Amino acid sequence: MSAGEISIRPARADDVESLRELSEQLGYPSSLNEARRRLAVILDQQQQALLVAETSDGTVVGWVHGILRPLLLEPPHIEIGGLVVKAGHRNAGIGEQLMHAIEDWACGMGAQEILIYSNVIRDRAYRFYERIGYEGFKQSRVFRKKI
Ligand SMILES: CC(C)(COP(=O)(O)OP(=O)(O)OC[C@H]1O[C@@H](n2cnc3c(N)ncnc32)[C@H](O)[C@@H]1OP(=O)(O)O)[C@@H](O)C(=O)NCCC(=O)NCCS
């Protein structure tokens, strides 16, 4: 499909319902109140960018979240905290536009690298990332402890 007229802009607090719905499509359901709380924290942080893709009629059809990670071991990099394009709007170049926009932001933040941690179940997303210039360079185990 064709993306039509898409603009990329920073997310606002009143995007919360669309962001919540799209997060659910990524496999991360939450209540509206929880989404509102999380969004407020992100919007308050200078070191994070949450960008949305919007159609000409104002419908939010995708988002990408970038987080600046200052590290002792390496120069600061940007981690992608999530990327999703609304079902029915995929394969039209919107994901690529979102990634280019977050790359521009990342350059402006002085980062030299963008890292994406992608679940092994998302093999279609792997092809997408490789096509837009990312390379898989490491496989990791993820450990967690409920606290
Ligand atoms: C991965 C994802 C974000 C990509 O977004 P998208 O908007 O579909 O991406 P694009 O349209 O830029 O590119 C996707 C495909 O469409 C093709 N494409 C791009 N522009 C196109 C156009 N104008 N016409 C036809 N096809 C096009 C590309 O070749 C690409 O093919 P590929 O899958 O072999 O890489 C989207 O599929 C998605 O939200 N998936 C579910 C959630 C997910 O996996 N997120 C990533 C978590 S790590």
Side-chain angles (χ1 to χ4, degrees):
M1 72 178 282
S2 147
E5 193 70 6
I6 292 289
S7 47
I8 310 285
R9 61 162 174 83
R12 303 183 301 248
D14 65 355
D15 292 318
V16 65
E17 288 193 37
S18 316
L19 294 168
R20 195 207 62 80
E21 187 195 320
L22 289 170
S23 304
E24 197 165 303
Q25 291 190 7
L26 190 56
Y28 293 85
S30 69
S31 70
L32 196 55
N33 276 343
E34 184 61 41
R36 217 174 257 127
R37 274 195 295 274
R38 293 179 192 171
L39 180 58
V41 172
I42 292 168
L43 295 182
D44 202 37
Q45 309 261 328
Q46 297 290 321
Q47 299 201 327
Q48 301 197 26
L50 184 60
L51 305 178
V52 301
E54 187 177 60
T55 59
S56 50
D57 68 359
T59 309
V60 170
V61 292
W63 61 256
V64 63
H65 180 196
I67 306 154
L68 181 74
R69 292 251 183 255
L71 294 175
L72 193 60
L73 296 176
E74 294 177 342
H77 68 257
I78 301 294
E79 181 182 325
I80 298 300
L83 166 72
V84 61
V85 171
K86 190 172 185 162
H89 292 265
R90 294 178 188 159
N91 298 319
I94 298 172
E96 186 170 355
Q97 284 186 62
L98 281 165
M99 287 304 295
H100 285 161
I102 210 78
E103 287 164 11
D104 287 347
W105 171 77
C107 287
M109 296 297 284
Q112 292 164 14
E113 201 167 59
I114 299 184
L115 294 187
I116 300 162
Y117 296 89
S118 186
N119 195 312
V120 290
I121 59 171
R122 301 193 199 277
D123 54 343
R124 190 182 168 278
Y126 288 9
R127 286 201 307 278
F128 164 76
Y129 290 128
E130 284 173 352
R131 189 179 59 75
I132 63 170
Y134 290 74
E135 55 178 358
F137 79 105
K138 183 154 82 170
Q139 288 195 324
S140 303
R141 296 289 301 266
V142 181
F143 295 85
R144 76 172 167 191
K145 179 180 180 181
K146 301 275 188 197
I147 51 169

